[in-house]
Amino acid sequence: MPIVVRLDVVLAQRKMRSKDLAEAIGITEANLSLLKQGRVKGVRFETLAKICAVLGCTPGDILDYAPD
Amino acid sequence: MIMSAEAVRLARVSVWFARACLMLAAGVPLLVLAWWTLADDAALLDGADLACAAPASPLALWQRVAAGAAALAPALLLGLALVQARALFSAFAAGRAFTAGSVARVRRIAGWILAAAAAGVLATPAMSVALTLANPPGQRLLTVSLGTEDLFALMIAGVLWAMAAAMAEAVRLADDAAQIV
C-alpha cells in the first residue's frame, strides 16, 4: 500500500494518547489503531478534518505517499 | 455504530415479528395435530374435500394417523421456516441486519418454504388415499391439486432466494464501509 500513515508520529509529537484522540474525534480506539497501522480501506474527509483540528496539523503531516 | 432512524424502527418492529414467528412455529403444527385428533369424521372429510366419498363406517385410527401425518408435514416444514425467520428477526432486533448469518437464514427460509409447498402438494393425494382406502372398490379416491396458494408459496420462496443474493452483496458493501473510518 503506497499510502503511509504517520499518525503515531504526530501523536507522539503532540504527546497525546490514542485513547484521547479517538474520544475527541468520535471513533473507536480499535478503528484508530487500524488507521495508525494503515489497515483501513479509507478515511472519511470528516474524520481527517477532525484529526487535523484536534492535533493542529494538516493531512500531509499524517499521510504520506511512498510508491512500492 | 450509530443506527439510522429506519434501522431503529426495523429493530423495534423485529422484536414483535420474532415473537409472532415463535408462536406460529409452535402453534400451526399444534393446531393441525389438534384438528386431526379432535375433529369428527365428517369434518375431516369435508376439510379434505372428500365429503362425496364419505365411508359407511367410521374412519379407522390408522386412517386418521396417516392422513394427519400427511397434513402435518407441510405444517412442520413451515414451522422450521418460521424458526429461521424468528432467528432472522432476532438478529435484526440486535442491529445485525447485514451479516453473513442473516443471508444464510433468508436462504434457509426460502428452502423450507419451498419444501413446505412441495409437501403441501403431495399431502393432498396422500390424504385422499388414506381417508378413502377403506372404502369399497369404486369409492376410493386419489386427489391431485395444485392451487394458487402453492404457486404463491413457490413465488415467495423464489423472491426470498433472490433477496438473499442481494443481501449477500449488501453484506459485502457493509463490510467494505466498516473498513472506512
Side-chain angles (χ1 to χ4, degrees):
Chain A
M1 168 59 78
I3 299 294
V4 179
V5 180
R6 303 200 188 285
L7 182 57
D8 48 351
V9 172
V10 179
L11 272 170
Q13 286 171 350
R14 305 290 190 273
K15 293 185 177 54
M16 182 180 263
R17 294 184 306 169
S18 297
K19 183 171 177 285
D20 297 331
L21 178 62
E23 207 174 299
I25 65 175
I27 69 172
T28 63
E29 229 182 307
N31 276 350
L32 186 65
S33 176
L34 288 170
L35 175 59
K36 278 169 33 180
Q37 294 166 49
R39 286 168 54 195
V40 295
K41 284 203 172 176
V43 184
R44 294 187 180 88
F45 284 156
E46 187 187 345
T47 305
L48 198 52
K50 284 179 183 173
I51 291 173
C52 293
V54 170
L55 297 179
C57 63
T58 64
D61 296 329
I62 305 168
L63 303 171
D64 200 359
Y65 175 69
D68 301 324
Chain B
M1 192 178 75
I2 298 170
M3 289 168 68
S4 66
E6 194 62 43
V8 168
R9 202 169 18 250
L10 174 64
R12 206 177 295 136
V13 165
S14 294
V15 170
W16 293 103
F17 277 142
R19 286 178 192 154
C21 285
L22 184 62
M23 280 174 20
L24 287 171
V28 168
L30 283 174
L31 281 172
V32 171
L33 198 60
W35 171 253
W36 283 93
T37 305
L38 302 171
D40 60 39
D41 291 0
L44 290 178
L45 289 164
D46 197 37
D49 289 327
L50 295 170
C52 60
S57 51
L59 290 173
L61 179 62
W62 69 264
Q63 288 181 288
R64 274 188 181 251
V65 169
L72 195 57
L76 285 173
L77 292 168
L78 185 64
L80 289 171
L82 286 165
V83 165
Q84 289 296 318
R86 179 191 173 254
L88 181 70
F89 284 121
S90 296
F92 286 175
R96 296 190 307 269
F98 291 111
T99 64
S102 292
V103 173
R105 283 191 194 99
V106 174
R107 285 205 177 105
R108 274 184 227 132
I109 292 168
W112 287 124
I113 288 177
L114 187 63
V121 170
L122 293 173
T124 307
M127 280 194 294
S128 64
V129 167
L131 291 173
T132 63
L133 196 58
N135 289 4
Q139 293 179 36
R140 298 168 189 161
L141 292 178
L142 170 67
T143 309
V144 177
S145 166
L146 186 64
T148 50
E149 68 276 9
D150 303 308
L151 297 173
F152 183 68
L154 288 172
M155 188 193 80
I156 293 292
V159 166
L160 283 173
W161 199 269
M163 273 178 58
M167 274 181 75
E169 179 62 14
V171 167
R172 192 190 65 76
L173 291 170
D175 278 346
D176 241 16
Q179 294 183 61
I180 297 173
V181 297

